[in-house]
Amino acid sequence: MSALSPTFPWAAGAKDEYRACPVTTLKVDMHTERLVIANAVMAVVCLVLGGIAALLIALTRWQAIHLLDALWFYRLLTLHGIDMLVAWIVFFEMAGLHFGSTVLLNARHAAPKLAWLGFILMTVGGLMANFVVLFDTNSIVTFTAYVPMKAHPLFYLSYILFAVGALIAVITFFINIVVAKREKRFEGSLPLVVFGLMTAAILATYTLLEGAAAIVPAFFWSLGLMDLDPGIYRNFFWGFGHPAQQVNLAAMVAIWYALAQMTVGIRPLNEKFSRLAFILYLFFINLGSAHHLLVDPGLTFGWKAVNTSYAMYLAVLGSMMHAFSIPAAMEVALRAKGYRKGLFGWLRNGPWNEPGFGALVMSMILFGWIGGVTGVTIGTEQINMLAHNTLRLPGHFHATVVGGTTTAFMGFTYYVIPLIFRKELKLKKWATWQPYVFGFGTMLVSLGMITSGLQGVSRRNWDITFSGAIPGTVNLTLAILGIGALIAVAGGIMYVTVVLVSILTGPRLEASSLLLTAGTHNPLLESTKLTDQQMEDKQNQPRGTLVLVFAFLVWFAVYYLTNWWLLGRTWFIR
Amino acid sequence: MLAPEQTWWKPMGRLEKTWLTVALVWCIFLTIMMPLWYFMGKQNVPTETYRTTPQDYAAKVNEFVATYQVGEENGVPIVAPPPGSDVYLRASTWQWYPILQLEKGKEYRLHVSSMDYNHGFSLQPVNINLQVVPGYDYVATITPTTTGEFTIVCNEYCFLGHHTMIGKIIVK
């Protein structure tokens, strides 16, 4: 491969430096390996910081404990948002982008220096944000930092550094793909997982540009150099804030396909169907920034209705397509192995001990059944009046970003450790249980928040009960939130322990098998790929999945229509 | 994860087509619900908005309070405007001003704006939530359908005293 001369100036100095992975037979570029390790380590550091904050703020909202004073509650709430919603997830995604654009294409990292520059900017920005919020009381402005609440200029600068760093890392993803294509490292289309990551990268690009449109003016405004309209800031901020979560969505779905292939050996039922679903994200998901502006002054019904519905719920359609195609592919793969009994025999016989499988299932359930359904409902223009800024909102996004994205990323980490860190995964039993513990805790957190929010409890509030407006039953639902948080934090500690023990102890060891608990079977090898006959066999068709998605639709309809009924009972307003 | 075959553009299977059709129909239903409720429903998000400044808005609130004040509670005036009139509510760190006294079943034009940061108008336990943004005079035409004392909680973080920002609406 090194015989091919580089055709791009930025790739000129880069040396080809590979190792061959004995398990997957893929070539691992050494620059990529180091970049993935660095980004993954920073991701886990931010997860730990955000996790400590999560525990303390949850124990404050749990009325029976009410741990922190107001100042520290709001301070750690700000930190929690920055470290979790941005830092942990984006660092992990950058690791995924470096990995996807090189290893999965058998290609080299064509711009390692640029990638390191991005990493350093992100690290400096992330640490600076933590530092400013911890030591400057005026910068306790929460993650959204709505103008005209003025934080220290360094607060905005830290956002800018992080975002510019992320943008640079995303650009290296595109460079890698173009170079790999030019150098003929892969034939034909991108693999589906890389296609999904590409969707995430494109979404990330315009998301970060919109972030710049919000935060750069805020930075100059904080220095007293310009005026900034609070309504306009909100519009641009959410052009960044909500699509940033859609980047997570696209990356998570890509990881779902990867986990499904690694643990069950799926072959996508129909590449066109799955790719079309990603394309729908690409075109429509950015409109969702309106979700945060539905009860804002100054915007018309038409603008809100078109944007909040992603034109015609077309991005929701994309998610519903993945919600079918992934479990359906899993069903076909498991039926092809002989688990054909009844509608759900395949599911009972899934590799439940395999952490990647557990993480995949928990992630899909929490994301779809709780996160997706509640998100579409509270994102409905009129229903949003019942939900705006209540705990129903964090209830929704803890199901998507924590239950969905974070659980999937955690599950994926267990494969990164042997394949990229080249360390044996330790505490395998813990790894098996971790997705279930973490997922269950997150589910309780989410349900506690949603049921509290339904009773009117607002988010980002140190103590709502003393206002006397809120029924006493919230003490119960807030306790569910608190108990769930304890369980989820226990799951988080299990994750960090497994990761740390694995990478800090034991010698460097080439991986010997892909799966962690299920022997030496390797679904990534070409020879194990399902045949056309197996895919088309009548016995193997995903009938069980069709039942599951219809059950999902019924639950969706019940929850959605119940909310219209609730809205119809409140005061008249127009 | 690995590269697909050269030609992956194949027709969809029967189950895929079924689900895609059902999901699309559901999405269309979700889309139709919003305009349907906009024309038929009695609870719609207000859209009437005017540009204002904190000074102008504060002057209107003061004039409103001076005209219709009927009492006082803990230093905050209680104001009972006539049905159908313009009602002015002021949000500032960390107070809702004044206390409003309304009549059940009567319509009011409720103006709300902020003197400083973003605030959140959250009427409990009715559970109506609106965003309050400085510089914007947001007009909600409301009709109380229940009687009693209702609390206005601020549900947009407005710095460290945020949770103490509590107001009141009385409906007779």
Side-chain angles (χ1 to χ4, degrees):
Chain A
M1 288 294 173
S2 51
L4 280 163
S5 60
T7 42
F8 294 92
W10 57 75
K15 276 182 293 187
D16 273 21
E17 205 189 331
Y18 290 111
R19 66 178 175 83
C21 176
V23 174
T24 57
T25 68
L26 291 168
K27 288 197 299 188
V28 180
D29 179 289
M30 299 310 288
H31 292 297
T32 300
E33 177 169 300
R34 288 188 284 269
L35 280 163
V36 168
I37 289 174
N39 278 285
V41 166
M42 272 311 292
V44 173
V45 168
C46 296
L47 183 73
V48 170
L49 290 173
I52 294 168
L55 178 66
L56 296 174
I57 56 182
L59 290 180
T60 306
R61 291 228 73 164
W62 187 353
Q63 283 298 323
I65 298 179
H66 207 46
L67 185 67
L68 300 174
D69 62 20
L71 176 90
W72 274 93
F73 173 77
Y74 293 124
R75 170 170 280 160
L76 292 184
L77 189 64
T78 307
L79 270 191
H80 175 67
I82 293 169
D83 283 332
M84 294 301 219
L85 204 54
V86 180
W88 140 252
I89 287 181
V90 176
F91 271 118
F92 200 97
E93 280 165 358
M94 294 309 140
L97 291 185
H98 292 312
F99 176 76
S101 63
T102 57
V103 179
L104 291 180
L105 300 177
N106 259 326
R108 66 192 174 99
H109 205 298
K113 284 193 181 135
L114 213 50
W116 282 111
L117 175 66
F119 172 76
I120 289 165
L121 287 176
M122 284 169 66
T123 307
V124 171
L127 294 179
M128 194 177 181
N130 275 279
F131 187 81
V132 175
V133 174
L134 274 178
F135 293 101
D136 177 40
T137 304
N138 284 330
S139 295
I140 303 177
V141 292
T142 71
F143 162 67
T144 49
Y146 289 134
V147 168
M149 205 188 307
K150 198 176 276 183
H152 195 281
L154 286 178
F155 177 88
Y156 305 100
L157 189 62
S158 69
Y159 272 43
I160 294 170
L161 289 178
F162 189 92
V164 170
L167 195 56
I168 290 173
V170 171
I171 289 169
T172 69
F173 173 87
F174 295 121
I175 292 176
N176 285 340
I177 301 245
V178 172
V179 170
K181 186 78 188 166
R182 279 282 179 96
E183 296 179 352
K184 298 193 166 48
R185 304 297 175 109
F186 66 99
E187 292 287 319
S189 307
L190 288 175
L192 184 57
V193 173
V194 184
F195 189 84
L197 290 173
M198 172 81 112
T199 309
I202 294 171
L203 291 172
T205 306
Y206 63 59
T207 294
L208 290 165
L209 291 175
E210 276 182 292
I215 304 293
V216 171
F219 174 61
F220 287 118
W221 164 80
S222 73
L223 291 169
L225 297 176
M226 65 179 280
D227 288 330
L228 189 54
D229 181 274
I232 302 289
Y233 173 85
R234 281 173 60 77
N235 201 333
F236 278 118
F237 181 85
W238 286 114
F240 154 75
H242 204 90
Q245 307 320 310
Q246 325 275 25
V247 178
N248 304 339
L249 163 69
M252 173 192 71
V253 175
I255 296 282
W256 282 354
Y257 279 104
L259 285 173
Q261 177 152 23
M262 287 158 72
T263 60
V264 195
I266 66 156
R267 193 177 139 193
L269 258 55
N270 189 313
E271 292 266 352
K272 180 173 77 174
F273 187 80
S274 300
R275 284 168 197 248
L276 185 62
F278 278 118
I279 298 279
L280 287 172
Y281 286 166
L282 211 49
F283 281 111
F284 298 105
I285 218 155
N286 191 31
L287 307 182
S289 46
H291 291 176
H292 304 261
L293 310 173
L294 292 177
V295 295
D296 269 32
L299 302 167
T300 62
F301 168 76
W303 185 90
K304 288 172 178 173
V306 169
N307 283 288
T308 195
S309 67
Y310 306 114
M312 206 183 68
Y313 290 97
L314 292 172
V316 175
L317 183 66
S319 287
M320 288 171 83
M321 288 163 75
H322 288 306
F324 174 76
S325 77
I326 297 174
M330 290 160 71
E331 178 169 357
V332 172
L334 286 163
R335 280 179 185 274
K337 283 184 189 155
Y339 305 122
R340 290 174 172 169
K341 211 169 168 194
L343 276 177
F344 302 113
W346 58 280
L347 194 55
R348 270 198 303 281
N349 287 291
W352 296 94
N353 285 330
E354 184 68 29
F357 185 81
L360 173 61
V361 172
M362 291 308 281
S363 173
M364 291 185 72
I365 291 174
L366 290 169
F367 187 91
W369 287 69
I370 302 182
V373 167
T374 59
V376 170
T377 305
I378 59 181
T380 303
E381 202 246 0
Q382 294 95 337
I383 292 175
N384 191 256
M385 271 194 298
L386 297 178
H388 179 69
N389 274 353
T390 68
L391 265 180
R392 285 176 78 181
L393 275 103
H396 151 68
F397 68 72
H398 278 78
T400 55
V401 182
V402 188
T405 310
T406 300
T407 308
F409 285 4
M410 284 173 164
F412 197 68
T413 313
Y414 298 134
Y415 303 87
V416 172
I417 289 171
L419 296 178
I420 299 290
F421 283 77
R422 285 184 282 164
K423 293 280 194 168
E424 188 192 355
L425 191 79
K426 303 279 172 59
L427 301 171
K428 288 201 174 78
K429 274 251 164 60
W430 283 41
T432 294
W433 278 97
Q434 191 271 334
Y436 304 114
V437 174
F438 185 76
F440 179 69
T442 307
M443 185 185 79
L444 290 186
V445 167
S446 195
L447 294 178
M449 283 178 167
I450 291 166
T451 46
S452 302
L454 274 165
Q455 299 170 82
V457 178
S458 59
R459 67 187 293 198
R460 293 178 166 178
N461 193 306
W462 177 65
D463 187 351
I464 191 73
T465 53
F466 75 99
S467 70
I470 305 293
T473 43
V474 297
N475 286 326
L476 176 69
T477 51
L478 289 171
I480 293 173
L481 156 63
I483 292 165
L486 288 180
I487 299 172
V489 166
I493 291 171
M494 287 166 77
Y495 169 74
V496 173
T497 309
V498 172
V499 170
L500 288 184
V501 170
S502 300
I503 63 176
L504 295 181
T505 66
R508 175 162 279 194
L509 197 68
E510 292 294 338
S512 57
S513 74
L514 179 68
L515 298 182
L516 304 173
T517 61
T520 53
H521 177 66
N522 183 357
L524 279 191
L525 296 180
E526 197 66 17
S527 58
T528 59
K529 200 167 161 183
L530 293 170
T531 62
D532 286 347
Q533 284 101 317
Q534 282 174 312
M535 295 297 291
E536 279 150 28
D537 189 336
K538 280 219 157 48
Q539 296 270 321
N540 292 348
Q541 291 315 298
R543 296 184 295 277
T545 300
L546 201 63
V547 173
L548 289 178
V549 290
F550 272 100
F552 167 77
L553 193 58
V554 169
W555 153 239
F556 196 165
V558 167
Y559 187 82
Y560 177 75
L561 294 171
T562 306
N563 272 274
W564 281 113
W565 175 76
L566 279 175
L567 181 67
R569 284 157 40 100
T570 194
W571 287 10
F572 300 162
I573 181 167
R574 63 185 158 84
Chain B
M1 250 175 134
L2 305 174
E5 306 101 282
Q6 281 294 354
T7 45
W8 45 263
W9 188 267
K10 291 174 182 162
M12 292 178 204
R14 190 175 56 84
L15 295 181
E16 281 147 343
K17 275 187 192 151
T18 309
W19 177 242
L20 184 61
T21 311
V22 170
L24 187 61
V25 168
W26 175 243
C27 289
I28 292 168
F29 172 75
L30 293 176
T31 309
I32 292 171
M33 272 308 283
M34 286 189 287
L36 199 66
W37 193 275
Y38 183 74
F39 292 110
M40 320 274 283
K42 296 208 181 299
Q43 294 83 9
N44 272 294
V45 181
T47 52
E48 192 179 344
T49 309
Y50 302 96
R51 282 276 185 187
T52 185
T53 61
Q55 295 75 19
D56 289 352
Y57 192 79
K60 280 185 180 168
V61 173
N62 291 340
E63 191 192 329
F64 165 70
V65 171
T67 315
Y68 300 118
Q69 182 169 1
V70 293
E72 199 181 279
E73 189 182 304
N74 300 327
V76 182
I78 301 172
V79 182
S85 66
D86 285 88
V87 177
Y88 291 87
L89 182 67
R90 191 187 80 190
S92 59
T93 48
W94 292 290
Q95 188 189 42
W96 294 101
Y97 179 95
I99 295 170
L100 302 172
Q101 185 176 309
L102 310 176
E103 286 174 48
K104 183 185 165 182
K106 299 284 163 54
E107 194 173 271
Y108 298 86
R109 285 168 49 79
L110 173 65
H111 296 248
V112 56
S113 188
S114 164
M115 298 293 101
D116 37 52
Y117 301 147
N118 275 260
H119 293 286
F121 174 90
S122 178
L123 187 66
Q124 297 299 341
V126 175
N127 204 9
I128 286 177
N129 304 279
L130 299 171
Q131 185 77 21
V132 185
V133 183
Y136 295 84
D137 175 357
Y138 199 7
V139 189
T141 304
I142 60 162
T143 309
T145 56
T146 46
T147 56
E149 279 198 13
F150 300 91
T151 306
I152 311 170
V153 177
C154 177
N155 73 2
E156 184 60 78
Y157 174 68
C158 52
F159 213 56
L160 301 176
H162 164 51
H163 48 276
T164 62
M165 185 169 165
I166 310 254
K168 197 192 280 187
I169 292 181
I170 303 159
V171 180
K172 294 201 166 165

